[in-house]
Amino acid sequence: MDAFLVSGPCRISGELAVSGAKNAALPDVAAALLSERPVSLDRLPAVADIRTMKKLLSGMGVTVSGEAPGTVTLDASRIVSTEAPYDLVRTMRASILVLGPLLARFGEARVSLPGGCAIGVRPVDLHIMAFEAMGARIAVEKGYIHAHVSRVGPGRGRLTGATVRFPQVTVTGTENVMLAATLARGVTTIENAAREPEVVDLAALLVSMGARVSGAGTATIVVEGIEALPGSPVPHAVLADRIEAGTYATAAAITGGDVTLRGAREEDLPAFVAALRAAGVDVSADESGLRVSRSGPLRPVDVETAPHPGYPTDLQAQWMALMTQAEGTSRVVETIFENRFLHAAELVRLGANVRVEGHTAFVTGPTRLEGATVTASDLRASAALVLAALVAEGETLVRRIYHLDRGYAAMEEKLSSLGARVARVPG
Ligand code: UD1
């Protein structure tokens, strides 16, 4: 298993091109299942989750050509299977995103239940509820979700447009219903929809493929279903990854560095950028990206995760790492996921002062961090450990980097290009 060996402390500076967003690319790839025509995507990130998604679609008969981060073309004209097997789904919960497109285009799908993960139970009941409202019959048997739509007349069984009101904001749930609704009979209205930029990116792709989607980016999305998607003549450029950008922005902030993030947009990260500024970090935006630097002391700033445009849960662990260097006590509240503080104990192993009480972590700084061996527990927790390691004295070995590779493209190369000393080693 790979590990990162980080030698600290360091100060990072320079310029970085932000990769395509993993969380936009995943539904974008799933969208290819909707059409008989090829779909081309530019700037797919070269990360493990995208490789898993491509493997999932290949197994269904989709022809995939091109390599990330170049242009990748997905041709779903000859589907041989409508099943997402356990072996792939268990490694990536977002596999559930194939359920909507398969059900909409073929009237049936079998998708393994994702099962548990380190950051909590994360059920898919809201996805199932929505598809039932659209006329699907769903049974869960032997760990698989079996979904089908009964036929009326010739051809496939077709979903029916419905009003889907999510009792809780769900990002992939919103995306799954958008995907399915494009080929449903009639109009689907999604209420309390996720407003994340990744949802907006998916809507833009669907519209370019000929779908009728409006309202993405607001809490109400309306999709007018059509019989078949005519396909898109031009490649769709995947949105820049705001979580990757936020992670490197935090790296600049924690090391007292100065980094320009090409492709990053302030409007995708309003609460995070506000928190950075409140902490004494300089953030300036121009059309090419965001510049993040710090020369003064770090102030403690409380954050509480919330659906977009609130503070993103995917930048919560990184904030905790940053606050270990702030002068005073800050509160980090996690409201989206249970059990998303696994990084706290590992940060403490590096010398941080973090106390967790339920959904709140209290971080008191500044603390002098010292290199140690730590173990990554999930994707964003891994990033937090690397950030802390950048300012720790001596060598830190961050184990189980495979979590990090799921969502960050070549992090060791990107950090090294900015002057950090990070090496991928066996461990
Ligand atoms: C997506 C992101 C993930 C991010 C999360 C929250 C992708 C591929 N992943 O995950 O990086 O951390 O949004 O911003 O885009 N829930 C249910 N039942 C459901 C669905 C969700 O109870 O059927 C709960 C979840 O357990 C969680 C909350 O709703 O507590 C929000 O989860 P959701 O927005 O669905 O997260 P994902 O879409 O899986």
Side-chain angles (χ1 to χ4, degrees):
M1 247 184 273
D2 285 359
F4 275 179
L5 185 63
V6 185
S7 308
C10 73
R11 175 183 179 276
I12 63 164
S13 65
E15 200 175 305
L16 206 65
V18 178
S19 299
K22 167 183 87 77
N23 285 356
L26 288 167
D28 287 352
V29 170
L33 286 170
L34 287 168
S35 183
E36 288 196 2
R37 306 274 176 82
V39 171
S40 293
L41 299 169
D42 269 347
R43 210 163 61 171
L44 270 193
V47 299
D49 271 10
I50 296 302
R51 285 193 288 278
T52 303
M53 198 67 169
K54 288 200 297 193
K55 216 187 272 179
L56 193 58
L57 266 66
S58 298
M60 294 171 182
V62 176
T63 313
V64 183
S65 47
E67 274 303 317
T71 304
V72 173
T73 301
L74 303 127
D75 179 348
S77 55
R78 274 182 293 274
I79 292 295
V80 295
S81 157
T82 52
E83 179 174 320
Y86 176 66
D87 274 356
L88 290 175
V89 177
R90 78 183 167 82
T91 65
M92 189 184 69
R93 201 190 124 74
S95 309
I96 191 75
L97 284 166
V98 301
L99 181 56
L102 290 173
L103 199 50
R105 181 158 156 226
F106 303 103
E108 59 167 39
R110 237 166 70 86
V111 176
S112 170
L113 272 176
C117 68
I119 64 174
V121 178
R122 300 181 82 178
V124 290
D125 56 319
L126 300 176
H127 299 242
I128 292 176
M129 169 214 86
F131 294 135
E132 283 177 340
M134 297 173 78
R137 301 252 301 272
I138 297 188
V140 178
E141 276 166 24
K142 296 188 179 155
Y144 275 79
I145 302 166
H146 297 252
H148 86 275
V149 196
S150 303
R151 273 195 240 164
V152 261
R156 70 178 196 272
R158 217 171 141 198
L159 291 166
T160 314
T163 295
V164 173
R165 186 178 167 78
F166 284 116
Q168 175 178 1
V169 175
T170 160
V171 178
T172 50
T174 300
E175 292 163 347
N176 226 346
V177 174
M178 283 164 72
L179 288 159
T182 58
L183 296 180
R185 193 177 280 125
V187 174
T188 298
T189 305
I190 309 172
E191 295 177 353
N192 199 24
R195 289 179 281 164
E196 269 65 3
E198 292 77 10
V199 170
V200 178
D201 187 69
L202 173 63
L205 169 64
L206 291 172
V207 168
S208 80
M209 290 167 69
R212 302 189 186 139
V213 182
S214 60
T218 75
T220 306
I221 297 175
V222 178
V223 184
E224 205 185 309
I226 51 176
E227 173 81 36
L229 290 180
S232 169
V234 287
H236 171 78
V238 177
L239 170 83
D241 196 318
R242 64 198 176 100
I243 305 302
E244 188 197 39
T247 301
Y248 288 106
T250 311
I254 199 170
T255 65
D258 185 349
V259 172
T260 298
L261 299 159
R262 263 192 290 122
R265 300 188 309 195
E266 182 170 348
E267 67 263 34
D268 292 340
L269 287 166
F272 170 75
V273 170
L276 272 184
R277 290 197 174 116
V281 179
D282 290 322
V283 185
S284 57
D286 63 28
E287 45 316 335
S288 74
L290 285 178
R291 180 172 175 187
V292 182
S293 64
R294 178 175 70 86
S295 45
L298 268 174
R299 289 190 287 268
V301 175
D302 299 343
V303 298
E304 179 167 332
T305 63
H308 191 77
Y311 188 94
T313 175
D314 286 350
L315 287 171
Q316 177 259 103
Q318 296 88 323
W319 194 259
M320 195 184 286
L322 181 65
M323 287 297 101
T324 67
Q325 302 307 303
E327 296 184 354
T329 298
S330 52
R331 258 176 347 121
V332 177
V333 183
E334 175 57 54
T335 70
I336 310 283
F337 293 113
E338 48 175 319
N339 209 15
R340 205 177 197 181
F341 282 146
L342 295 170
H343 42 282
E346 296 300 297
L347 289 172
V348 168
R349 303 196 63 251
L350 294 172
N353 181 348
V354 184
R355 185 168 51 87
V356 174
E357 270 180 33
H359 290 287
T360 304
F362 297 88
V363 189
T364 302
T367 40
R368 185 176 167 275
L369 302 183
E370 231 179 315
T373 296
V374 289
T375 303
S377 54
D378 66 68
L379 169 55
R380 306 305 169 185
S382 323
L385 298 178
V386 174
L387 292 171
L390 293 177
V391 290
E393 297 278 341
E395 292 192 331
T396 301
L397 188 70
V398 185
R399 298 178 55 222
R400 297 191 181 233
I401 275 311
Y402 66 86
H403 289 295
L404 198 125
D405 289 333
R406 286 187 47 198
Y408 290 95
M411 184 184 254
E412 75 279 27
E413 288 169 25
K414 289 195 177 189
L415 281 173
S416 299
S417 78
L418 298 172
R421 282 169 295 158
V422 183
R424 184 178 289 266
V425 297

